[in-house]
Coordinates of all heavy atoms in Angstrom, one line a residue:
S139 N -5.6 6.4 6.3 CA -7.0 6.0 5.9 C -8.0 7.1 6.2 O -8.0 7.6 7.3 CB -7.3 4.7 6.6 OG -6.6 3.6 6.1
A140 N -8.8 7.4 5.2 CA -10.0 8.2 5.4 C -11.2 7.3 5.6 O -11.8 6.8 4.6 CB -10.2 9.2 4.3
S141 N -11.6 7.0 6.8 CA -12.5 5.8 7.0 C -13.9 6.0 6.5 O -14.6 5.1 6.1 CB -12.5 5.5 8.5 OG -13.0 6.6 9.3
T142 N -14.4 7.3 6.4 CA -15.7 7.5 5.8 C -15.6 8.0 4.4 O -16.6 8.1 3.7 CB -16.5 8.5 6.6 OG1 -15.9 9.8 6.6 CG2 -16.7 8.1 8.1
G143 N -14.4 8.3 3.9 CA -14.2 8.8 2.5 C -13.8 7.6 1.6 O -13.7 7.8 0.4
N144 N -13.6 6.4 2.2 CA -13.2 5.2 1.4 C -12.1 5.4 0.5 O -12.1 5.0 -0.7 CB -14.5 4.8 0.6 CG -15.6 4.4 1.5 OD1 -15.4 4.0 2.7 ND2 -16.9 4.5 1.0
V145 N -11.0 6.1 1.0 CA -9.8 6.3 0.2 C -8.6 6.4 1.2 O -8.8 6.7 2.4 CB -10.0 7.7 -0.5 CG1 -10.0 8.9 0.4 CG2 -8.9 7.8 -1.6
V146 N -7.5 6.1 0.6 CA -6.2 6.2 1.4 C -5.4 7.3 0.7 O -5.1 7.3 -0.5 CB -5.4 4.9 1.4 CG1 -4.0 5.1 2.1 CG2 -6.2 3.8 2.2
H147 N -5.0 8.3 1.5 CA -4.2 9.4 1.1 C -2.7 9.1 1.3 O -2.4 8.6 2.4 CB -4.5 10.7 1.8 CG -6.0 11.1 1.7 ND1 -6.5 11.8 0.6 CD2 -7.0 11.0 2.6 CE1 -7.8 12.1 0.8 NE2 -8.1 11.6 2.0
V148 N -1.9 9.5 0.4 CA -0.4 9.3 0.5 C 0.2 10.8 0.6 O 0.0 11.5 -0.4 CB 0.2 8.5 -0.6 CG1 1.7 8.3 -0.3 CG2 -0.4 7.1 -0.7
L149 N 0.8 11.1 1.7 CA 1.2 12.5 1.9 C 2.7 12.6 2.0 O 3.4 11.6 2.5 CB 0.6 13.1 3.2 CG -0.9 12.9 3.4 CD1 -1.3 13.5 4.8 CD2 -1.7 13.5 2.3
D150 N 3.3 13.7 1.6 CA 4.7 14.0 1.8 C 4.9 14.4 3.3 O 4.2 15.2 3.8 CB 5.1 15.2 0.9 CG 6.6 15.5 1.0 OD1 7.0 16.0 2.0 OD2 7.3 15.2 0.0
V151 N 5.8 13.7 3.9 CA 6.0 13.8 5.4 C 6.4 15.3 5.7 O 6.0 15.8 6.7 CB 7.1 12.8 5.9 CG1 7.6 13.2 7.3 CG2 6.4 11.4 5.9
Q152 N 7.3 15.9 4.9 CA 7.9 17.2 5.2 C 6.9 18.3 4.9 O 6.9 19.4 5.6 CB 9.2 17.4 4.5 CG 10.3 16.4 4.9 CD 10.7 16.6 6.3 OE1 10.7 17.7 6.9 NE2 11.1 15.5 7.0
T153 N 6.1 18.2 3.9 CA 5.2 19.3 3.5 C 3.7 19.1 3.7 O 2.9 20.0 3.7 CB 5.4 19.6 2.0 OG1 4.9 18.5 1.2 CG2 6.9 19.8 1.7
G154 N 3.3 17.8 3.9 CA 1.9 17.5 4.0 C 1.1 17.5 2.7 O -0.1 17.3 2.7
E155 N 1.8 17.7 1.6 CA 1.1 17.7 0.3 C 0.7 16.3 -0.1 O 1.5 15.3 0.1 CB 2.0 18.3 -0.8 CG 2.3 19.8 -0.6 CD 3.2 20.3 -1.7 OE1 3.5 19.6 -2.6 OE2 3.6 21.5 -1.6
E156 N -0.4 16.1 -0.7 CA -0.9 14.8 -1.2 C -0.1 14.5 -2.5 O -0.2 15.2 -3.5 CB -2.4 14.8 -1.4 CG -2.9 13.4 -1.8 CD -4.4 13.5 -2.1 OE1 -4.8 14.2 -3.0 OE2 -5.2 12.7 -1.5
I157 N 0.6 13.4 -2.5 CA 1.3 13.0 -3.7 C 0.6 11.8 -4.4 O 0.9 11.5 -5.5 CB 2.7 12.5 -3.4 CG1 2.7 11.3 -2.5 CG2 3.5 13.7 -2.7 CD1 4.1 10.7 -2.4
G158 N -0.5 11.3 -3.8 CA -1.3 10.2 -4.4 C -2.4 9.8 -3.5 O -2.5 10.2 -2.3
R159 N -3.3 9.0 -4.1 CA -4.4 8.4 -3.3 C -4.9 7.2 -4.1 O -4.6 7.0 -5.3 CB -5.5 9.4 -3.1 CG -6.2 9.8 -4.5 CD -7.5 10.5 -4.3 NE -7.4 11.8 -3.5 CZ -8.4 12.4 -2.9 NH1 -9.6 11.9 -3.1 NH2 -8.2 13.5 -2.3
F160 N -5.6 6.3 -3.4 CA -6.2 5.1 -4.1 C -7.4 4.7 -3.3 O -7.5 4.9 -2.1 CB -5.2 4.0 -4.1 CG -4.6 3.5 -2.8 CD1 -5.3 2.5 -2.1 CD2 -3.4 4.0 -2.4 CE1 -4.8 2.1 -0.9 CE2 -2.9 3.5 -1.2 CZ -3.6 2.6 -0.4
P161 N -8.4 4.2 -4.0 CA -9.7 3.8 -3.4 C -9.4 2.6 -2.6 O -8.6 1.7 -2.9 CB -10.6 3.5 -4.6 CG -9.7 3.3 -5.7 CD -8.5 4.1 -5.5
S162 N -10.2 2.4 -1.5 CA -9.9 1.3 -0.6 C -11.1 0.4 -0.3 O -11.0 -0.6 0.4 CB -9.5 1.9 0.8 OG -10.5 2.8 1.3
G163 N -12.3 0.8 -0.8 CA -13.5 0.1 -0.4 C -14.0 0.7 0.9 O -13.5 1.7 1.4
N164 N -15.0 0.0 1.5 CA -15.6 0.6 2.7 C -14.7 0.6 3.9 O -14.1 -0.4 4.2 CB -16.9 -0.3 3.0 CG -18.0 -0.1 2.0 OD1 -18.0 0.9 1.2 ND2 -18.9 -1.0 1.9

């Protein structure tokens, strides 16, 4: 969770690359 960015990042565990994200609300 990015608590002030109002988004959840989904990362690859081995590389740290963002493979997706979705808006979360406040």
Side-chain angles (χ1 to χ4, degrees):
S139 291
S141 59
T142 66
N144 299 334
V145 67
V146 173
H147 303 277
V148 182
L149 311 178
D150 183 287
V151 165
Q152 296 296 329
T153 66
E155 294 181 5
E156 183 182 59
I157 63 168
R159 62 167 62 195
F160 56 87
S162 60
N164 290 341

